[in-house]
Amino acid sequence: MVDGAVDAVLTATAGGMRLEWDVSRDEARLLIADSGDSGAPQGDFTVWTGSLLPAFELDEGGTALYVKAAAKACALGENGEWRIGLDLGEHGSGLLVCELPAWGLRIKRLEAHWSRPSRILSLQFGTRLLTAAERRRTPDAGTVHWPDWSAEGYCVPAAGSSPTHSFWRSWDMGDARLPLGSFGDAMGTPYAAAFPRPLYAAAMGGRRGWLAFGPGEVPDAPLTLRLRSATACIHYAYREDLWEPADDLRRVWNEPLRLARGDSGYEALGALFDSFGPFEPKSSRHLRSFLCTWGDFKEKRFDLRRFVDRVSGSAAADMIILDESWETFDGSAEPNAELFPDFDADLAIIREHGYELAFWQSVGWTDAPELQGLTKEDLLCGPDGEPREWRWSGSPFGAKFHYLLDPSSERTRRLIVERTMRLVARWRPAALKLDFGYGYPGPDAAAPRDPAYRGERLAYSLLKLIYDAAKSVDPDITIIYYGIHPLMRDVADLISIDDLGDAGDSAAHEIAGHNQRCLWASLAARHGMAVNTSTGYYYGALGSILLDTAVVGVNGLTLGETDNDGSRMEPADLNRWTALQTWRRRTCGWKPLWLDADLGSLKGEPRLGSWGRLEAAPDGAGASRLTALTLRGDESAAFSYPVAGSVSFTGRWALIAQDDRDIADAERVACIPFAAGELRLDRSFSRVQVYASAGGKVTPARTVEAGDLPERKLMVTEGELASIAGFVIEG
């Protein structure tokens, strides 16, 4: 290709997949070679098609003017980057710089130079102008452009609830905007609370493969996947008709888009996340289990002494989280004396029982700005200049609303820093649980005064302020949040699979939802994050949740004294909780091993049956070690897997190595029963220690020599589940 020519086809090939982009036509596609197994003629199968040059909506006297970039030159630079000159017609010119690594496509830089002052309503990737004939086929006669990313369907992890769902066929959603960042209901999209957001990513694909996409930097606009009929685009909302831009003649975006391919939605997202590496695992000190007061606080049970008396004799954990309601108002960092008249004495009692403390903190809400020395200049205001109010659901109806902190204000930033440092210095908590970074309206209603804090950067910058302030007082403190994307590594240490209530209002929905969330959580574990599982509001789901926790990380409990059905924790689940607290893995950074698992597709949602945890060798050399297993079977037919030597079992079991070796040769392996059944490990061992639990600790019950076990099997009956916490095989 001659430098400056436009007729370039950029290509990246790996793993039997080929990403092609005809720059002059702005036609891209992901192709996979057809093996011929289907019986059809061999050839390339198209997984995804769409355009990649940017498009803009500009404010033109109160109406939206659509401007699609065209390529006017394409040249390969000395460092392997492609530089594509953009023609924006009478509106100006631009530049797009990209590269094609083995995993896909990376748009490193986008520039727009406007011929006259311009205000951007939106930036889009994956839209184009309609022809006259196409315009006659749209549902709106005034439509001039349309999304053109096309595939069999979509993958947006945990985007839907009741029950949790992450996959749709292309025509299932109709007209919709799906939140990929911290803005959900605020943008007229489905509620986007808690785990696993912000995602900053999604995927399109189908039977033959998938393509994941998202930005490489936290963007300065709310990020959504815009669906129209059966096609889609990435949409960045600016609304600069309402808010002053930083520069109305020139705009630069760094890393506005990355594309990565994979055989499944999970693997494509994994490849996209891997492109941000290499990663250093988080410190293992952040793997902290918790008991959270929310289950009691939401039912207006605020007696902390009763709480600790109830849990201290049974449910061991590293810390107790004081959830929302502990403050005088959200964002004050001062205890509510009406609800907790003996607050400091209560905290002392919690510590006396062996628990560390953690505190819930709203990321950007305040209920009484005047008490904090703030004026409306320090708050998010609407176009009318008056402070906006907001609540978690986005509904204008209700009783409790919050004002919103604007990080553009030096006074606001100082408040956040001083408040955080005061809290950490005063009570020395082990962790802060941050929440409601998704509790902001979008630019249709409000925006920070400083453009540098707008869009997805709003929540991120607030999280970063809190993170850095807390670490300045205690470098070892753990910051808990939800987002699984690698870009969240600098603002969080521990990811909590919370709020499980979003999975749906039943134990069955919570079981399926948590099981699926464990799959998505493993994407974060792959880049070294600490992960903590959590419950919802039904004790009937606890057994399944704890079984997956054996692989994922450490346990967390948000359930109160009774659940939504009035049920309490069963003795068998208490045994399992105590066993996991004692024998859990204490390392960060692992990859999943799928044994009996469905990673999800357009045919159905993800389901994890039996699966494992692979950890790199301590010195980084050699093969990965299988250090934990979750095994799901039934009582009648034995299942076998050629792992850890060989494992055969009936029922349900969790296996956890107690050293840095593979389960096949670890000196001690904890085997925790979750259902009646038998377990046989084809490996050498000399004896088995049988443990019960009491007072939140495992206690030795008896020792059995290996030769005395029938067929060298561990066996447990349904009646024994309430008395046996687990077995430990000793080499």
Side-chain angles (χ1 to χ4, degrees):
M1 188 204 78
V2 178
D3 284 358
V6 182
D7 56 344
V9 177
L10 310 187
T11 304
T13 302
M17 290 185 176
R18 185 169 76 256
L19 182 64
E20 293 181 350
W21 182 18
D22 186 325
V23 176
S24 62
R25 296 176 179 271
D26 192 21
E27 294 177 351
R29 65 189 66 245
L30 178 63
L31 303 168
I32 185 168
D34 191 332
S35 64
D37 294 341
S38 63
Q42 291 190 14
D44 290 334
F45 184 91
T46 301
V47 172
W48 168 92
T49 62
S51 61
L52 292 175
L53 292 179
F56 303 90
E57 285 181 304
L58 303 179
D59 177 47
E60 189 82 0
T63 61
L65 178 67
Y66 180 79
V67 178
K68 172 71 175 183
K72 63 180 181 182
C74 183
L76 180 62
E78 294 181 358
N79 57 1
E81 297 176 339
W82 290 94
R83 300 175 64 85
I84 302 172
L86 302 179
D87 183 359
L88 300 173
E90 63 179 285
H91 303 283
S93 61
L95 174 69
L96 186 148
V97 180
C98 68
E99 62 182 13
L100 286 89
W103 45 264
L105 172 74
R106 179 186 183 193
I107 296 181
K108 301 180 66 175
R109 185 176 177 89
L110 170 63
E111 297 180 14
H113 303 270
W114 308 113
S115 57
R116 58 180 182 270
S118 298
R119 295 197 170 197
I120 301 172
L121 301 179
S122 71
L123 164 65
Q124 305 163 15
F125 288 95
T127 64
R128 66 172 177 82
L129 280 168
L130 296 172
T131 66
E134 290 167 341
R135 290 179 62 181
R136 289 192 291 270
R137 303 165 188 158
T138 64
D140 182 345
T143 302
V144 299
H145 64 92
W146 200 266
D148 68 356
W149 284 6
S150 178
E152 291 179 75
Y154 306 100
C155 171
V156 181
S161 63
S162 300
T164 300
H165 49 290
S166 303
F167 289 87
W168 293 271
R169 297 171 302 175
S170 62
W171 60 86
D172 285 342
M173 293 295 289
D175 241 6
R177 285 196 294 183
L178 298 182
L180 302 184
S182 295
F183 296 87
D185 52 284
M187 299 291 294
T189 67
Y191 175 50
F195 180 91
R197 295 176 182 83
L199 283 164
Y200 300 144
M204 293 183 71
R207 289 167 289 170
R208 304 297 183 90
W210 288 80
L211 187 70
F213 45 85
E217 249 187 27
V218 179
D220 62 349
L223 174 64
T224 57
L225 176 63
R226 183 65 191 270
L227 311 172
R228 298 204 72 180
S229 299
T231 51
C233 69
I234 283 283
H235 187 278
Y236 295 96
Y238 286 96
R239 290 304 310 269
E240 290 177 353
D241 56 325
L242 299 177
W243 318 108
E244 288 282 346
D247 187 338
D248 57 10
L249 286 174
R250 180 176 181 268
R251 194 61 169 268
V252 176
W253 291 265
N254 291 315
E255 298 268 5
L257 186 64
R258 292 187 184 189
L259 306 178
R261 53 185 172 263
D263 291 336
S264 66
Y266 174 90
E267 289 166 328
L269 288 166
L272 182 67
F273 286 10
D274 288 347
S275 72
F276 290 83
F279 307 104
E280 282 293 324
K282 289 282 184 175
S283 169
S284 59
R285 69 173 177 268
H286 298 304
L287 283 168
R288 304 181 192 265
S289 60
F290 70 77
L291 305 175
C292 182
T293 61
W294 179 244
D296 288 290
F297 283 6
K298 75 181 182 68
E299 300 299 328
K300 310 303 180 186
R301 297 192 293 260
F302 299 113
D303 189 332
L304 289 177
R305 296 195 185 194
R306 176 179 173 179
F307 176 88
V308 74
D309 285 345
R310 173 170 59 84
V311 301
S312 62
S314 56
D318 297 324
M319 60 188 178
I320 286 177
I321 298 176
L322 301 184
D323 213 285
E324 186 178 18
S325 296
W326 78 269
E327 301 167 288
T328 53
F329 56 84
D330 288 352
S332 76
E334 291 293 336
N336 187 328
E338 292 185 8
L339 298 179
F340 309 99
D342 301 310
F343 189 74
D344 285 309
D346 292 342
L347 299 191
I349 290 173
I350 290 173
R351 282 195 159 113
E352 287 171 6
H353 283 85
Y355 299 103
E356 293 185 284
L357 294 171
F359 293 91
W360 180 94
Q361 284 284 275
S362 168
V363 170
W365 288 350
T366 181
D367 297 346
E370 68 283 352
L371 296 180
Q372 298 175 297
L374 303 181
T375 70
K376 70 179 184 180
E377 299 301 318
D378 309 304
L379 306 173
L380 282 192
C381 296
D384 61 358
E386 293 302 313
R388 302 296 296 185
E389 296 176 76
W390 201 250
R391 67 197 305 256
W392 69 269
S393 70
S395 171
F397 308 115
K400 186 177 181 181
F401 291 85
H402 310 278
Y403 294 104
L404 307 156
L405 299 177
D406 183 352
S408 305
S409 159
E410 172 60 31
R411 188 159 44 209
T412 293
R413 296 196 299 273
R414 188 166 58 249
L415 167 72
I416 294 171
V417 170
E418 292 176 352
R419 178 189 69 191
T420 304
M421 294 178 68
R422 182 180 74 250
L423 188 160
V424 176
R426 182 175 178 183
W427 289 299
R428 289 289 173 177
L432 297 181
K433 179 188 177 185
L434 306 186
D435 200 1
F436 286 110
Y438 46 88
Y440 271 84
D444 295 333
R449 293 164 177 82
D450 185 344
Y453 293 106
R454 290 180 186 167
E456 303 297 342
R457 295 178 184 175
L458 172 56
Y460 185 90
S461 64
L462 293 168
L463 289 164
K464 185 63 171 168
L465 279 171
I466 298 171
Y467 186 92
D468 289 345
K471 298 284 185 177
S472 72
V473 179
D474 181 3
D476 292 338
I477 195 171
T478 296
I479 304 300
I480 306 172
Y481 201 59
Y482 309 116
I484 63 174
H485 196 283
L487 288 173
M488 300 301 292
R489 287 175 53 90
D490 289 339
V491 295
D493 303 306
L494 174 62
I495 292 172
S496 181
I497 302 181
D498 188 37
D499 178 351
L500 195 57
D502 291 337
D505 193 17
S506 74
H509 282 169
E510 288 188 353
I511 289 171
H514 188 276
N515 183 257
Q516 181 177 153
R517 289 172 183 218
C518 288
L519 173 95
W520 303 124
S522 71
L523 289 172
R526 285 168 48 148
H527 61 78
M529 290 297 290
V531 182
N532 185 300
T533 68
S534 182
T535 63
Y537 302 111
Y538 292 92
Y539 275 113
L542 183 56
S544 180
I545 289 171
L546 293 177
L547 182 55
D548 285 318
T549 299
V551 168
V552 174
V554 291
N555 16 340
L557 190 72
T558 56
L559 280 156
E561 185 171 357
T562 58
D563 68 7
N564 281 359
D565 287 339
S567 300
R568 300 172 184 269
M569 186 185 287
E570 296 289 338
D573 281 332
L574 184 56
N575 279 337
R576 297 158 186 160
W577 173 277
T578 306
L580 287 172
Q581 173 68 12
T582 304
W583 294 317
R584 70 194 188 210
R585 294 297 302 165
R586 287 172 166 80
T587 52
C588 294
W590 53 273
K591 293 184 178 181
L593 171 68
W594 312 124
L595 299 174
D596 168 28
D598 185 337
L599 303 188
S601 69
L602 301 180
K603 294 182 178 180
E605 295 299 325
R607 179 198 59 81
L608 303 182
S610 296
W611 61 303
R613 173 184 177 119
L614 296 171
E615 299 180 27
D619 58 2
S624 296
R625 300 152 301 134
L626 178 64
T627 59
L629 278 172
T630 284
L631 302 173
R632 283 184 171 90
D634 55 45
E635 293 184 45
S636 55
F639 288 77
S640 296
Y641 296 112
V643 294
S646 176
V647 177
S648 60
F649 67 99
T650 61
R652 297 185 174 191
W653 298 81
L655 278 60
I656 307 174
Q658 297 300 291
D659 53 30
D660 287 331
R661 302 158 94 179
D662 193 283
I663 289 174
D665 59 5
E667 283 296 317
R668 300 174 75 244
V669 178
C671 304
I672 308 169
F674 282 75
E678 301 177 352
L679 172 69
R680 187 177 190 278
L681 290 176
D682 186 15
R683 54 152 290 174
S684 63
F685 60 93
S686 59
R687 67 183 63 84
V688 174
Q689 298 284 352
V690 185
Y691 287 85
S693 71
K697 298 180 179 180
V698 297
T699 59
R702 63 183 185 277
T703 301
V704 182
E705 298 300 317
D708 294 333
L709 292 172
E711 301 180 63
R712 295 175 62 84
K713 292 180 180 178
L714 302 179
M715 294 182 285
V716 65
T717 65
E718 188 70 28
E720 290 174 320
L721 293 173
S723 59
I724 294 179
F727 308 86
V728 174
I729 291 175
E730 297 183 350

mmCIF file with all atom_site columns, all heavy atoms in Angstrom, residues 593-605:
data_model
loop_
_atom_site.group_PDB
_atom_site.id
_atom_site.type_symbol
_atom_site.label_atom_id
_atom_site.label_alt_id
_atom_site.label_comp_id
_atom_site.label_asym_id
_atom_site.label_entity_id
_atom_site.label_seq_id
_atom_site.pdbx_PDB_ins_code
_atom_site.Cartn_x
_atom_site.Cartn_y
_atom_site.Cartn_z
_atom_site.occupancy
_atom_site.B_iso_or_equiv
_atom_site.pdbx_formal_charge
_atom_site.auth_seq_id
_atom_site.auth_comp_id
_atom_site.auth_asym_id
_atom_site.auth_atom_id
_atom_site.pdbx_PDB_model_num
ATOM 1  N N   . LEU A 1 593 ? -10.754 -23.472 35.944 1.00 0.00 ? 593 LEU A N   1
ATOM 2  C CA  . LEU A 1 593 ? -10.696 -24.740 35.217 1.00 0.00 ? 593 LEU A CA  1
ATOM 3  C C   . LEU A 1 593 ? -12.128 -25.235 35.082 1.00 0.00 ? 593 LEU A C   1
ATOM 4  O O   . LEU A 1 593 ? -12.798 -25.508 36.082 1.00 0.00 ? 593 LEU A O   1
ATOM 5  C CB  . LEU A 1 593 ? -9.851  -25.759 35.975 1.00 0.00 ? 593 LEU A CB  1
ATOM 6  C CG  . LEU A 1 593 ? -9.898  -27.196 35.426 1.00 0.00 ? 593 LEU A CG  1
ATOM 7  C CD1 . LEU A 1 593 ? -9.212  -27.270 34.058 1.00 0.00 ? 593 LEU A CD1 1
ATOM 8  C CD2 . LEU A 1 593 ? -9.258  -28.178 36.405 1.00 0.00 ? 593 LEU A CD2 1
ATOM 9  N N   . TRP A 1 594 ? -12.607 -25.345 33.857 1.00 0.00 ? 594 TRP A N   1
ATOM 10 C CA  . TRP A 1 594 ? -13.990 -25.772 33.633 1.00 0.00 ? 594 TRP A CA  1
ATOM 11 C C   . TRP A 1 594 ? -14.050 -27.297 33.510 1.00 0.00 ? 594 TRP A C   1
ATOM 12 O O   . TRP A 1 594 ? -13.380 -27.880 32.668 1.00 0.00 ? 594 TRP A O   1
ATOM 13 C CB  . TRP A 1 594 ? -14.549 -25.139 32.356 1.00 0.00 ? 594 TRP A CB  1
ATOM 14 C CG  . TRP A 1 594 ? -14.328 -23.663 32.223 1.00 0.00 ? 594 TRP A CG  1
ATOM 15 C CD1 . TRP A 1 594 ? -13.710 -23.015 31.195 1.00 0.00 ? 594 TRP A CD1 1
ATOM 16 C CD2 . TRP A 1 594 ? -14.733 -22.640 33.133 1.00 0.00 ? 594 TRP A CD2 1
ATOM 17 N NE1 . TRP A 1 594 ? -13.693 -21.665 31.406 1.00 0.00 ? 594 TRP A NE1 1
ATOM 18 C CE2 . TRP A 1 594 ? -14.319 -21.398 32.585 1.00 0.00 ? 594 TRP A CE2 1
ATOM 19 C CE3 . TRP A 1 594 ? -15.390 -22.643 34.364 1.00 0.00 ? 594 TRP A CE3 1
ATOM 20 C CZ2 . TRP A 1 594 ? -14.550 -20.182 33.229 1.00 0.00 ? 594 TRP A CZ2 1
ATOM 21 C CZ3 . TRP A 1 594 ? -15.619 -21.422 34.999 1.00 0.00 ? 594 TRP A CZ3 1
ATOM 22 C CH2 . TRP A 1 594 ? -15.213 -20.225 34.443 1.00 0.00 ? 594 TRP A CH2 1
ATOM 23 N N   . LEU A 1 595 ? -14.818 -27.934 34.357 1.00 0.00 ? 595 LEU A N   1
ATOM 24 C CA  . LEU A 1 595 ? -15.031 -29.377 34.290 1.00 0.00 ? 595 LEU A CA  1
ATOM 25 C C   . LEU A 1 595 ? -16.429 -29.670 33.757 1.00 0.00 ? 595 LEU A C   1
ATOM 26 O O   . LEU A 1 595 ? -16.596 -30.242 32.688 1.00 0.00 ? 595 LEU A O   1
ATOM 27 C CB  . LEU A 1 595 ? -14.822 -29.996 35.676 1.00 0.00 ? 595 LEU A CB  1
ATOM 28 C CG  . LEU A 1 595 ? -13.420 -29.819 36.263 1.00 0.00 ? 595 LEU A CG  1
ATOM 29 C CD1 . LEU A 1 595 ? -13.361 -30.344 37.689 1.00 0.00 ? 595 LEU A CD1 1
ATOM 30 C CD2 . LEU A 1 595 ? -12.375 -30.518 35.391 1.00 0.00 ? 595 LEU A CD2 1
ATOM 31 N N   . ASP A 1 596 ? -17.428 -29.278 34.509 1.00 0.00 ? 596 ASP A N   1
ATOM 32 C CA  . ASP A 1 596 ? -18.816 -29.358 34.047 1.00 0.00 ? 596 ASP A CA  1
ATOM 33 C C   . ASP A 1 596 ? -19.355 -27.935 34.099 1.00 0.00 ? 596 ASP A C   1
ATOM 34 O O   . ASP A 1 596 ? -19.823 -27.475 35.140 1.00 0.00 ? 596 ASP A O   1
ATOM 35 C CB  . ASP A 1 596 ? -19.632 -30.286 34.951 1.00 0.00 ? 596 ASP A CB  1
ATOM 36 C CG  . ASP A 1 596 ? -21.136 -30.177 34.696 1.00 0.00 ? 596 ASP A CG  1
ATOM 37 O OD1 . ASP A 1 596 ? -21.518 -29.841 33.561 1.00 0.00 ? 596 ASP A OD1 1
ATOM 38 O OD2 . ASP A 1 596 ? -21.913 -30.388 35.646 1.00 0.00 ? 596 ASP A OD2 1
ATOM 39 N N   . ALA A 1 597 ? -19.237 -27.216 32.990 1.00 0.00 ? 597 ALA A N   1
ATOM 40 C CA  . ALA A 1 597 ? -19.600 -25.803 32.984 1.00 0.00 ? 597 ALA A CA  1
ATOM 41 C C   . ALA A 1 597 ? -20.085 -25.399 31.608 1.00 0.00 ? 597 ALA A C   1
ATOM 42 O O   . ALA A 1 597 ? -19.629 -25.919 30.591 1.00 0.00 ? 597 ALA A O   1
ATOM 43 C CB  . ALA A 1 597 ? -18.406 -24.944 33.391 1.00 0.00 ? 597 ALA A CB  1
ATOM 44 N N   . ASP A 1 598 ? -21.022 -24.477 31.588 1.00 0.00 ? 598 ASP A N   1
ATOM 45 C CA  . ASP A 1 598 ? -21.498 -23.847 30.357 1.00 0.00 ? 598 ASP A CA  1
ATOM 46 C C   . ASP A 1 598 ? -21.183 -22.366 30.487 1.00 0.00 ? 598 ASP A C   1
ATOM 47 O O   . ASP A 1 598 ? -21.688 -21.694 31.391 1.00 0.00 ? 598 ASP A O   1
ATOM 48 C CB  . ASP A 1 598 ? -23.003 -24.070 30.197 1.00 0.00 ? 598 ASP A CB  1
ATOM 49 C CG  . ASP A 1 598 ? -23.538 -23.552 28.871 1.00 0.00 ? 598 ASP A CG  1
ATOM 50 O OD1 . ASP A 1 598 ? -22.904 -22.662 28.271 1.00 0.00 ? 598 ASP A OD1 1
ATOM 51 O OD2 . ASP A 1 598 ? -24.615 -24.009 28.442 1.00 0.00 ? 598 ASP A OD2 1
ATOM 52 N N   . LEU A 1 599 ? -20.327 -21.849 29.609 1.00 0.00 ? 599 LEU A N   1
ATOM 53 C CA  . LEU A 1 599 ? -19.896 -20.456 29.705 1.00 0.00 ? 599 LEU A CA  1
ATOM 54 C C   . LEU A 1 599 ? -20.946 -19.481 29.212 1.00 0.00 ? 599 LEU A C   1
ATOM 55 O O   . LEU A 1 599 ? -20.728 -18.267 29.258 1.00 0.00 ? 599 LEU A O   1
ATOM 56 C CB  . LEU A 1 599 ? -18.594 -20.253 28.923 1.00 0.00 ? 599 LEU A CB  1
ATOM 57 C CG  . LEU A 1 599 ? -17.420 -21.138 29.332 1.00 0.00 ? 599 LEU A CG  1
ATOM 58 C CD1 . LEU A 1 599 ? -16.154 -20.708 28.610 1.00 0.00 ? 599 LEU A CD1 1
ATOM 59 C CD2 . LEU A 1 599 ? -17.206 -21.125 30.829 1.00 0.00 ? 599 LEU A CD2 1
ATOM 60 N N   . GLY A 1 600 ? -22.076 -19.990 28.774 1.00 0.00 ? 600 GLY A N   1
ATOM 61 C CA  . GLY A 1 600 ? -23.145 -19.125 28.300 1.00 0.00 ? 600 GLY A CA  1
ATOM 62 C C   . GLY A 1 600 ? -23.067 -18.902 26.802 1.00 0.00 ? 600 GLY A C   1
ATOM 63 O O   . GLY A 1 600 ? -21.988 -18.878 26.202 1.00 0.00 ? 600 GLY A O   1
ATOM 64 N N   . SER A 1 601 ? -24.229 -18.762 26.202 1.00 0.00 ? 601 SER A N   1
ATOM 65 C CA  . SER A 1 601 ? -24.325 -18.515 24.768 1.00 0.00 ? 601 SER A CA  1
ATOM 66 C C   . SER A 1 601 ? -25.748 -18.059 24.491 1.00 0.00 ? 601 SER A C   1
ATOM 67 O O   . SER A 1 601 ? -26.548 -17.860 25.412 1.00 0.00 ? 601 SER A O   1
ATOM 68 C CB  . SER A 1 601 ? -24.011 -19.795 23.970 1.00 0.00 ? 601 SER A CB  1
ATOM 69 O OG  . SER A 1 601 ? -25.050 -20.755 24.159 1.00 0.00 ? 601 SER A OG  1
ATOM 70 N N   . LEU A 1 602 ? -26.076 -17.921 23.234 1.00 0.00 ? 602 LEU A N   1
ATOM 71 C CA  . LEU A 1 602 ? -27.438 -17.538 22.882 1.00 0.00 ? 602 LEU A CA  1
ATOM 72 C C   . LEU A 1 602 ? -28.424 -18.666 23.150 1.00 0.00 ? 602 LEU A C   1
ATOM 73 O O   . LEU A 1 602 ? -29.631 -18.460 23.095 1.00 0.00 ? 602 LEU A O   1
ATOM 74 C CB  . LEU A 1 602 ? -27.497 -17.114 21.411 1.00 0.00 ? 602 LEU A CB  1
ATOM 75 C CG  . LEU A 1 602 ? -26.580 -15.939 21.057 1.00 0.00 ? 602 LEU A CG  1
ATOM 76 C CD1 . LEU A 1 602 ? -26.711 -15.580 19.588 1.00 0.00 ? 602 LEU A CD1 1
ATOM 77 C CD2 . LEU A 1 602 ? -26.882 -14.733 21.930 1.00 0.00 ? 602 LEU A CD2 1
ATOM 78 N N   . LYS A 1 603 ? -27.900 -19.860 23.463 1.00 0.00 ? 603 LYS A N   1
ATOM 79 C CA  . LYS A 1 603 ? -28.774 -20.981 23.801 1.00 0.00 ? 603 LYS A CA  1
ATOM 80 C C   . LYS A 1 603 ? -29.145 -21.016 25.278 1.00 0.00 ? 603 LYS A C   1
ATOM 81 O O   . LYS A 1 603 ? -30.077 -21.720 25.660 1.00 0.00 ? 603 LYS A O   1
ATOM 82 C CB  . LYS A 1 603 ? -28.094 -22.301 23.417 1.00 0.00 ? 603 LYS A CB  1
ATOM 83 C CG  . LYS A 1 603 ? -27.895 -22.479 21.918 1.00 0.00 ? 603 LYS A CG  1
ATOM 84 C CD  . LYS A 1 603 ? -27.252 -23.830 21.625 1.00 0.00 ? 603 LYS A CD  1
ATOM 85 C CE  . LYS A 1 603 ? -27.095 -24.040 20.127 1.00 0.00 ? 603 LYS A CE  1
ATOM 86 N NZ  . LYS A 1 603 ? -26.473 -25.359 19.820 1.00 0.00 ? 603 LYS A NZ  1
ATOM 87 N N   . GLY A 1 604 ? -28.383 -20.306 26.113 1.00 0.00 ? 604 GLY A N   1
ATOM 88 C CA  . GLY A 1 604 ? -28.674 -20.352 27.540 1.00 0.00 ? 604 GLY A CA  1
ATOM 89 C C   . GLY A 1 604 ? -27.660 -19.589 28.353 1.00 0.00 ? 604 GLY A C   1
ATOM 90 O O   . GLY A 1 604 ? -26.577 -19.229 27.863 1.00 0.00 ? 604 GLY A O   1
ATOM 91 N N   . GLU A 1 605 ? -28.015 -19.351 29.605 1.00 0.00 ? 605 GLU A N   1
ATOM 92 C CA  . GLU A 1 605 ? -27.164 -18.586 30.503 1.00 0.00 ? 605 GLU A CA  1
ATOM 93 C C   . GLU A 1 605 ? -26.014 -19.439 31.043 1.00 0.00 ? 605 GLU A C   1
ATOM 94 O O   . GLU A 1 605 ? -26.085 -20.657 31.053 1.00 0.00 ? 605 GLU A O   1
ATOM 95 C CB  . GLU A 1 605 ? -27.998 -18.043 31.669 1.00 0.00 ? 605 GLU A CB  1
ATOM 96 C CG  . GLU A 1 605 ? -29.045 -17.031 31.250 1.00 0.00 ? 605 GLU A CG  1
ATOM 97 C CD  . GLU A 1 605 ? -28.435 -15.801 30.595 1.00 0.00 ? 605 GLU A CD  1
ATOM 98 O OE1 . GLU A 1 605 ? -27.331 -15.380 31.004 1.00 0.00 ? 605 GLU A OE1 1
ATOM 99 O OE2 . GLU A 1 605 ? -29.053 -15.260 29.660 1.00 0.00 ? 605 GLU A OE2 1
#
